[in-house]
Amino acid sequence: MEEVRTQVAIVGAGPAGLLLGHLLERAGVANVVLEHRSREYVEQRVRAGVIEYGVVNFLEEVGAGERLRREGLTHHGVELRFDHTTHRVALSDLADGKTITVYGQQELVKDLIALRLALGAPTRFEHEVVALEDLTGTTPVVRAKGPEGELRVECEFVAGCDGSFGVATRSIPGSTLRRHERTYPFAWLGILAEAAPTTEELIYARHERGFALYSMRSPTVSRLYLGVEPSETLEAWPDDRIWEELNLRLATESSPNVNEGPIMERSITAMRSVVCEPMRYGRLLVAGDAAHIVPPTGAKGMNLALGDIRVLARALVAQIREGDNRLLEAYSATCLERVWRAEEFSNYMTQMLHPSNDDFENGVQHARLRQVVASREAATVLARNYCDLNGL
Ligand code: FAD
Ligand code: DHB
C-alpha cells in the first residue's frame, strides 16, 4: 500500500474540487486531488453551461478565467416563451449591467486541470475513495483504490467535493446529518448538437406539451433540453422525435423551426432538490453537489459549487496558515444561507416552467409568468438571481 501525507485531501475533480485545489496551490497549502474517473472522462462530461457574472469575475481574478473570457459567450438577456409568444427579459438592464456567460462546464474543468498539471500539483485520476476515517480526530485518513493498488492519504482536512453520489456525505453519521429533499415529477433530456444556434439568447419555454430550453456552446454547437417523464429512456427518443418535439415546444409564428444537426451527446437527468446540513463534520468539509442539489432550471448547480469553494478556500487557508479557525467554524452556516436562496430560486423557476397535470397549478404558473413579463419588479428579482445569486 502506498502512503502519502498532505494538508488537504480533496475528493473529486469536478469544478468544486479542482477550483479548491487551484486556490490552495496559490496560497501554498499542500493538497492532493483524488478522482474516481479518468482525466478523459471528466474532461468530456457534458453538463452545465451558464456561469454567473460574479463567478466569471472571481475565476478571472484567481487566474482561471483566461479562456473563459476569450471563448465564453456573454449574454445580456434571456427569452421566456409561453402561450406561443416570446418575451425578452433584459437581464443586464434589470441587474445593474450584469450578464451571464455561456461556457461548457467541461471546458472549465479542462482549464483547471491544465493549470494544476502545469504546476505539478498531485492529481490522482482513476482513484476511487472508498473510506474516510478519523474525521473527528486530528489526522484524518482517506483510503482510495487506484490502478496500482491501495492508497492511504493522511491529512489535516478532507474536502468532500465528490458530487451527489460520492462517499463524503455518507461518512457523516445519521445522528448529525439532516437531509432535506424534494423529487420533481419530471426529468430533462439534454442533447448537444452540431447545429448553429437559431437564436442569440437562451430560451426557456413553457408549452402545454412540456418544458423546453434552447442553449448553445459556440457559433456551431447547440445545447437543447426537453422536459420528459422521469421514467423515460433514451431508446424511446430517436433523433427525429427529439427534433420534432423541440420544434413543437419552441415554435413561435416568427421562428417556427430550430436549426437541426447531428446529435453528439444525449442524456436524461432526474430533477431533485437536496440540502445536507451541516456541511461540516469534524475535519470533513463538504462542498458543491456533495452537499446540495438544485434542479437545473435556474442554472445554479455549478455556480453554487464554485461559491462554496470561495468560502472554503479562504477558511482553510486562514486555519492552516494563520491558525485562525473563525471562517472554518462559520463555513457551513455561511454557505447554507446562500444555498437556500439558490434552492428557492431553482424551485421557483422549475415550478413556473414545467406544466403540470393539475389545473390549479397551471393557473398559478401562468400568473407567475405573466407577472414576470408585466412587472419590472418581478423581472428584476428574476434577473438579479439569474445573473448573480452567488454575488461573488
Ligand atoms: P461534480 O461535477 O459531480 O464532481 C464530483 C467529482 O467527484 C466527479 O468527477 C466524480 O467522478 C468524483 N467522485 C465521486 N465519487 C468519488 C469517489 N468515491 N472517489 C473519488 N472521486 C469521486 N449548473 C450550473 O451552474 N449551470 C448550469 O447551466 C447547469 N446545468 C446543468 C445541466 C444538467 C443537465 C446537469 C446534470 C447539471 C447542470 N448543472 C448546472 C449542475 C452542475 O453540473 C453541477 O452542480 C456541478 O457539476 C457540481 O460540481 P461538483 O464539483 O460539486 O460535482
Ligand atoms: C444550460 C443548462 C441549464 O440548466 C440552464 O438552466 C441553462 C443553460 C446549458 O447547459 O447551457
Side-chain angles (χ1 to χ4, degrees):
M1 181 173 55
E2 187 186 349
E3 304 204 18
V4 295
R5 289 193 69 123
T6 190
Q7 290 176 300
V8 181
I10 302 173
V11 189
L18 289 167
L19 182 64
L20 180 62
H22 177 70
L23 298 175
L24 294 179
E25 282 297 317
R26 277 169 63 94
V29 173
N31 63 91
V32 176
V33 170
L34 301 154
E35 165 60 49
H36 183 188
R37 306 287 193 162
S38 66
R39 178 178 177 187
E40 294 66 40
Y41 184 93
V42 298
E43 288 190 343
Q44 298 310 320
R45 191 165 42 194
V46 178
R47 280 194 179 169
V50 172
I51 310 189
E52 287 180 8
Y53 184 81
V55 175
V56 171
N57 288 344
F58 178 64
L59 289 168
E60 197 166 38
E61 242 169 71
V62 299
E66 196 255 328
R67 191 163 69 97
L68 161 64
R69 206 40 110 192
R70 210 167 4 101
E71 295 181 17
L73 309 168
T74 305
H75 286 206
H76 294 264
V78 289
E79 283 183 44
L80 285 182
R81 252 175 216 186
F82 58 99
D83 296 342
H84 310 280
T85 313
T86 200
H87 306 264
R88 181 169 189 266
V89 180
L91 295 173
S92 55
D93 290 350
L94 295 162
D96 308 320
K98 292 177 177 172
T99 51
I100 51 147
T101 299
V102 176
Y103 189 67
Q105 173 170 330
Q106 78 273 29
E107 301 307 319
L108 179 63
V109 163
K110 280 182 206 161
D111 296 344
L112 290 167
I113 290 176
L115 283 170
R116 195 166 172 85
L117 297 184
L119 292 174
T123 315
R124 306 284 190 122
F125 291 103
E126 296 174 61
H127 277 73
E128 182 188 8
V129 171
V130 290
L132 306 180
E133 296 168 359
D134 297 335
L135 293 170
T136 52
T138 50
T139 315
V141 169
V142 175
R143 291 187 185 276
K145 281 194 183 144
E148 269 93 54
E150 287 179 30
L151 175 71
R152 179 178 185 276
V153 184
E154 245 181 52
C155 55
E156 293 172 33
F157 290 96
V158 181
C161 304
D162 49 349
S164 52
F165 301 104
V167 66
T169 328
R170 273 187 275 128
S171 308
I172 304 180
S175 54
T176 303
L177 187 73
R178 273 170 299 148
R179 209 179 140 87
H180 312 275
E181 185 156 8
R182 172 170 291 182
T183 307
Y184 298 88
F186 22 76
W188 277 14
L189 189 167
I191 63 161
L192 195 66
E194 265 175 65
T198 311
T199 63
E200 284 182 3
E201 295 182 335
L202 269 62
I203 306 166
Y204 286 86
R206 182 198 183 280
H207 188 276
E208 306 80 76
R209 298 177 65 89
F211 170 82
L213 168 59
Y214 202 114
S215 182
M216 61 216 62
R217 287 292 177 269
S218 73
T220 55
V221 175
S222 300
R223 174 83 168 141
L224 301 104
Y225 298 95
L226 282 171
V228 297
E229 297 282 322
S231 57
E232 281 292 359
T233 56
L234 287 173
E235 293 72 56
W237 287 88
D239 293 16
D240 289 353
R241 183 175 176 208
I242 293 176
W243 290 116
E244 190 186 338
E245 198 62 33
L246 283 166
N247 278 318
L248 281 169
R249 295 186 193 181
L250 287 162
T252 60
E253 268 176 29
S254 56
S255 60
N257 290 109
V258 299
N259 291 339
E260 299 181 17
I263 298 180
M264 302 180 272
E265 204 272 346
R266 68 190 77 209
S267 64
I268 293 183
T269 314
M271 292 176 75
R272 292 185 299 152
S273 300
V274 180
V275 179
C276 294
E277 290 189 59
M279 290 169 59
R280 173 179 187 178
Y281 174 66
R283 286 176 174 261
L284 169 67
L285 291 311
V286 286
D289 277 17
H292 39 72
I293 305 287
V294 286
T297 329
K300 289 295 162 224
M302 179 170 67
N303 290 295
L304 264 188
L306 300 175
D308 290 351
I309 294 306
R310 189 173 80 137
V311 180
L312 181 56
R314 284 191 180 155
L316 285 170
V317 171
Q319 171 74 64
I320 291 171
R321 299 202 52 120
E322 289 143 37
D324 180 348
N325 68 358
R326 286 173 298 176
L327 293 176
L328 210 51
E329 290 295 324
Y331 169 69
S332 180
T334 307
C335 288
L336 285 167
E337 194 270 328
R338 180 176 39 84
V339 167
W340 277 111
R341 280 194 287 115
E343 292 288 352
E344 187 279 325
F345 178 66
S346 306
N347 179 269
Y348 158 84
M349 290 288 281
T350 301
Q351 299 213 322
M352 182 166 72
L353 288 160
H354 292 74
S356 163
N357 297 327
D358 174 349
D359 270 354
F360 182 84
E361 178 60 30
N362 287 326
V364 170
Q365 289 179 4
H366 269 106
R368 283 186 176 159
L369 283 163
R370 281 195 294 267
Q371 192 186 30
V372 171
V373 299
S375 145
R376 190 173 168 92
E377 286 75 23
T380 302
V381 174
L382 190 156
R384 292 208 169 135
N385 281 328
Y386 193 71
C387 289
D388 202 23
L389 185 141
N390 283 272
L392 294 191

